[in-house]
Amino acid sequence: MANIKIGALGGLGENGKNMTIVEVDSRIFILDCGLKYPEIDMYGVDAVVPDMSYLEQNINRIEGIFISHGHDDHIGALPYLLEKINVPVFGTHFTICLIEDLLTEMDMNIRKYRLYRINENKVLTFVNSTVSFFNVSHSIPEAVGVSINTPDGSIVYITDFTFVVSNAFKYKTSFDKITEIGKNGVLVALPESVGTNSIGKTSDDTLLEHNLKRSLRRQNRIIITAFSSDLARIQKVIDLSIAHNKRVAIVGRRAKNIITIAMNANYLKIPKDKLVDIETLFEEQDNSDLVIIVTGAKGSLYSSITRMAQGLDRNITINKDDIVILMTPPVPGSQQHSTEALNILYEKDIDVTMYDKATLRSSHAREDDLKLLYQMLKPKYVIPIKGEYRHLHKHYEIALAAGFNEENVKILENGEFLHINNKKIEEVEIIETQDVIIDGNFKNINISVIKERENIAKEGIILINLCLDLNKKEIKLLPEVHTKGFVNKDLELLQSSIIELATKITNGHFLKPIMSIEGLKVGITEEVSKLIFRYTKKRPVVLVSIGEILKETPKEVKQYKRPQHKNNKNQKKKTNNKQKETQ
């Protein structure tokens, strides 16, 4: 019998950041290591990755990282993990190629890391368990499921899959291997949940092909958006374009890397005479036989379209003769970008079509796909993974409808780990985990920084400048107040109130035996924040800058005199003249 522990450090109750952990007799198996793209209100954030503290603390127990496929939400956090723990990474040939490209992009020497290529025939042997693989159909080549085989039965991890029958070898599902794993006994199944809100089973791309063919028959330049990771759909567009005697250009830095790798490894096929370098487009007069595939991820893709529509892109300007096809329905975090792009396209009177999810074949398992999976695997327990809580809960309902008992279907949160001993769930252990925020070269910046950025964007900022003579304990110049992004009908009066308050607090600090500059900043910040909220009901960010002047100034200001209300023009003029003399 084996002592088993199963949980996740990311991917539960959210979109992205997928990382599932399986422990068999204290040996740790890491399943995927992905990032999450920031929401639109996470200002300046590049990515969010799982909290890896638990893995750092238990590095000696880790057997390896097993990657299901090459999408960023499954491999994007690998550079940050490998920087801390250099453990073996296992993935298919194409997945490892993408990982090598990712590490190289992060200026990491791939020779320092143990990257091993596997296929569905490979069986890896570890202490008291083995790991095997099986092919699944997804939107990227060589996606696999992972089976950790223990004395108590297999633990099957199958994320991002469909049962759509594909003629392309690199996208085929190994139904026979899944069935074989089921016959040998499955203790726990860990299937994805993203597609659970769609009834029925995942269909093919027949409707998409019909609509694309109709557009490709027209003698216009066509601009089509596609997610850079959706190689199956990009190949579909390429094949249909060439069949209609069109040339193809591909836009998107990350996509170019992926497509170059795919072409070199023969996963993506584009005749050389049909592939156009986007840099040469401006030299051509007639591009009516051209299909431009604009690729990207989430909001960046729509931002590219917006720049092209506004004439701000270096190579492409969308004009009235173009046909624009948005083959990328908005995903969480990109709705605002997509709305902006659509508005500009319609404003420019561009022929634009956005394909909805009914037209586009999903690359995630739906209700009937999951029920078929249960029939093949016959697991004792089901733990839904990958998806927001609504997806996980719907998966729970689907499993119950398929005949599972409530106690055998467990919804977990990030950091919750099930202990299974002698094939029975004994307890739930909580491991502390939180989002790790990546901001440029800074990792795990404090969440308060993000809150502050959000507050600046919503409420604005107020800057208070003070010049002090700390030797004489005097204010050398009148405090200055500057506002950015902050509007108020009595702004001038509010500024004078802030100056008066800052002066009073500063003079109060001068009376202390030992004066602290940091203490003065905190005192001014707190009291000014209260003052602003009392008058405006807003909470702008208040920043206090204090400088020390060592030389004497022409006029020293020892006492602050408050200006009169703005309606008293004569008094205001006198005050302004006095300030000029002081300066």
Side-chain angles (χ1 to χ4, degrees), residues 362-419:
S362 173
S363 55
H364 298 282
R366 294 185 175 183
E367 180 177 348
D368 288 353
D369 298 314
L370 290 170
K371 289 179 179 179
L372 178 57
L373 177 70
Y374 303 151
Q375 290 177 10
M376 288 191 288
L377 290 179
K378 299 179 177 62
K380 181 174 183 178
Y381 298 106
V382 173
I383 301 177
I385 60 167
K386 183 163 181 166
E388 299 173 21
Y389 190 84
R390 61 192 175 98
H391 300 130
L392 302 178
H393 188 267
K394 183 61 179 178
H395 193 156
Y396 171 83
E397 292 178 342
I398 292 171
L400 296 185
F404 288 92
N405 296 324
E406 290 184 9
E407 60 269 21
N408 288 44
V409 184
K410 298 296 181 182
I411 296 179
L412 301 178
E413 296 181 2
N414 292 333
E416 285 187 342
F417 281 71
L418 284 183
H419 282 257

Side-chain angles (χ1 to χ4, degrees), residues 462-468 475-483 490-508 510 520 523-525 527-529 531-532 534-535 542-544 557-564 575-576 579 582-583:
I462 291 180
L463 306 172
I464 303 172
N465 294 326
L466 287 170
C467 292
L468 309 179
I475 300 174
K476 300 296 293 183
L477 293 173
L478 279 175
E480 295 180 346
V481 177
H482 303 280
T483 62
D490 294 323
L491 183 58
E492 187 178 351
L493 189 61
L494 181 62
Q495 286 176 319
S496 64
S497 298
I498 293 172
I499 292 172
E500 182 179 7
L501 181 59
T503 302
K504 180 180 178 181
I505 294 171
T506 304
N507 287 329
F510 282 149
L520 176 58
I524 293 175
T525 299
E527 293 305 317
V528 168
S529 296
L531 172 72
I532 295 169
R534 191 161 59 246
Y535 280 98
V542 177
L543 295 180
V544 180
V557 179
K558 297 183 179 180
Q559 201 65 34
Y560 171 74
K561 293 184 178 181
R562 179 174 180 171
Q564 299 298 313
T575 304
N576 288 341
Q579 288 182 1
T582 303
Q583 293 173 351

Side-chain angles (χ1 to χ4, degrees), residues 199-242:
I199 61 174
K201 68 183 185 66
T202 306
S203 59
D204 57 23
D205 264 337
T206 303
L207 186 56
L208 171 65
E209 290 183 30
H210 172 75
N211 288 322
L212 277 177
K213 286 177 181 177
R214 186 171 55 188
S215 298
L216 289 167
R217 292 190 190 103
R218 298 170 62 179
Q219 296 303 310
N220 301 77
R221 186 173 70 167
I222 300 174
I223 299 169
I224 301 176
T225 63
F227 292 121
S228 56
S229 58
D230 196 347
L231 282 181
R233 191 155 286 148
I234 292 173
Q235 182 71 72
K236 181 77 67 179
V237 173
I238 291 169
D239 292 344
L240 291 173
S241 299
I242 293 171

Side-chain angles (χ1 to χ4, degrees), residues 73-285:
D73 59 334
H74 291 263
I75 67 170
L78 265 175
Y80 309 103
L81 180 59
L82 292 177
E83 274 186 338
K84 298 177 179 180
I85 52 172
N86 191 349
V87 296
V89 179
F90 302 91
T92 58
H93 175 72
F94 185 67
T95 300
I96 294 297
C97 286
L98 294 179
I99 291 171
E100 289 174 338
D101 178 68
L102 178 62
L103 296 178
T104 302
E105 199 173 78
M106 300 286 286
D107 294 324
M108 298 171 69
N109 185 353
I110 60 175
R111 294 183 180 181
K112 292 183 178 181
Y113 304 99
R114 292 172 282 173
L115 309 176
Y116 299 108
R117 286 167 166 79
I118 55 89
N119 56 48
E120 70 167 355
N121 298 318
K122 187 73 174 178
V123 177
L124 305 173
T125 302
F126 300 96
V127 177
N128 207 25
S129 61
T130 62
V131 176
S132 59
F133 309 89
F134 54 91
N135 295 333
V136 296
S137 178
H138 190 40
S139 61
I140 195 169
E142 293 185 348
V144 295
V146 182
S147 178
I148 302 173
N149 312 302
T150 78
D152 291 351
S154 297
I155 301 165
V156 181
Y157 175 80
I158 177 168
T159 180
D160 290 40
F161 76 98
T162 70
F163 286 143
V164 173
V165 177
S166 173
N167 293 324
F169 176 72
K170 301 299 181 180
Y171 295 90
K172 283 187 175 180
T173 298
S174 299
F175 290 98
D176 54 341
K177 293 212 71 170
I178 298 175
T179 304
E180 182 183 348
I181 292 170
K183 288 180 179 178
N184 293 331
V186 174
L187 179 64
V188 180
L190 298 155
E192 68 154 329
S193 307
V194 174
T196 52
N197 286 329
S198 300
I199 61 174
K201 68 183 185 66
T202 306
S203 59
D204 57 23
D205 264 337
T206 303
L207 186 56
L208 171 65
E209 290 183 30
H210 172 75
N211 288 322
L212 277 177
K213 286 177 181 177
R214 186 171 55 188
S215 298
L216 289 167
R217 292 190 190 103
R218 298 170 62 179
Q219 296 303 310
N220 301 77
R221 186 173 70 167
I222 300 174
I223 299 169
I224 301 176
T225 63
F227 292 121
S228 56
S229 58
D230 196 347
L231 282 181
R233 191 155 286 148
I234 292 173
Q235 182 71 72
K236 181 77 67 179
V237 173
I238 291 169
D239 292 344
L240 291 173
S241 299
I242 293 171
H244 286 78
N245 201 28
K246 301 277 189 179
R247 295 175 300 150
V248 176
I250 299 174
V251 180
R253 183 184 60 83
R254 177 66 176 153
K256 281 187 176 180
N257 292 351
I258 295 175
I259 286 166
T260 300
I261 293 169
M263 289 179 67
N264 290 341
N266 205 31
Y267 294 110
L268 194 65
K269 299 179 181 179
I270 311 175
K272 289 185 178 179
D273 62 325
K274 294 294 183 181
L275 184 61
V276 178
D277 183 357
I278 199 69
E279 301 286 345
T280 65
L281 285 180
F282 68 93
E283 301 173 358
E284 300 186 7
Q285 299 298 321

